[in-house]
Amino acid sequence: MEQHLRGEYRAVASGGKLYSFLNAMQSAGICCRGQRCLGDTYQFRFYEKYRTAVEELAQQYGVTLQLTTRRTLRQFLHRYRFRFGIPLGLLLTGGLLFYGSNIVTEIDVIGNETATTAEITAILEECGVTRGRWIPSIDFSMCEHTLRAGVDELAWVGMRHTGNRLVVEVMERDPVPKMLEDRVPSNIVSAQDGQIVSVSIYCGQLMKLVGEPVQKGDLLVSGVVIDETGHLGIRHSLGSIIGQYEQTETFTCSYEQQLRTPTGETTPRKYLDIFTWHIPLGNKDDPYEDSIKTTGYSWFSLLGAELPIGIYRETYHEYRSKTLTLTPEEAKQNLEEQVQRYEDNFLDEVEILDKKTAVLETEDGIQWTVTYTLQGEIGVQQELFIQD
């Protein structure tokens, strides 16, 4: 290694006073390496710094000297000293490796069973933690607290990173057994303004009688019970309170409606993804005035290991909007369908006693205001808090 750093010459000496020349070099302290005698010639190597002294001794003793520069690391670097591509390439490679190891290229969620991975990653996106985020700038403590507060099922959250892979490890709390929930002290309060039709009380003290009007939030069944001996106790109220109440809903339908439909035309776009950098492989503009974009990745692999380099694909699906003009009869049919869907989805567990419809026609469309008279369960559980 030393000769690569200091420089070295190969020498072939012949003629003249050869042995006197050799003795003179030895007396001068010139270090000769790889010495060989071939016939009337003497071959050896010496460091570059001795060149002047060797040439002067050879001239003094009449020795013919042939010098050849030996290839060394020093000469290589000297030859390419004005070529900046090599050091620049090394610097860029080092910078790319440093950047790639400090950005998020993959988010793994482990330990979740009830909470979905999509739900957890959506909350992380709200915290700014997405693919391509600079890892040293992530506040792990804040993200962990936000996840615990945003997902009720999580009891513990830990975040760490291995290289450019962000690992979110979670632990879910054990669900509360239903038998314990049924023993929590509670009241039953009214969820509607109406009139009580019938009651069935299994546990608790009834506070309203059949036929009495009630308002939303009124106490119907109390969990605080006084027994025959005058002792005060708390219970989990159980019962069914059936009442009649009114509910008003408004449905509208315009004569002119914008209908947005797909045309079936699609245009793909490809990008080379290198550590979250997207390098376009062609045109990157949206080809349509109105479209929906879908994305996907195809990662390169090496020896079975997935690399953070791949192809990022965008597919644009064209949509077009057209104006749909309805006649009054078609608008009426549309409103009837809206009312039917509402009743099927939201009023399927109650009895519809009466239905009154108020019609308002304008130049732009029709509005129906439907007032329902309903009969059904109006009591809801409300936890009872006792101050120590």
Side-chain angles (χ1 to χ4, degrees), residues 4-5 72-83 86:
H4 287 284
L5 298 177
T72 63
L73 178 61
R74 179 182 175 183
Q75 289 181 337
F76 174 81
L77 295 176
H78 181 75
R79 181 184 304 171
Y80 294 100
R81 64 187 183 278
F82 297 116
R83 299 190 180 183
I86 295 176

Side-chain angles (χ1 to χ4, degrees), residues 289-310:
E289 293 183 0
D290 184 12
S291 64
I292 292 179
K293 181 177 68 175
T294 58
T295 61
Y297 288 91
S298 297
W299 301 110
F300 298 147
S301 59
L302 178 64
L303 301 177
E306 190 176 272
L307 301 177
I309 302 174

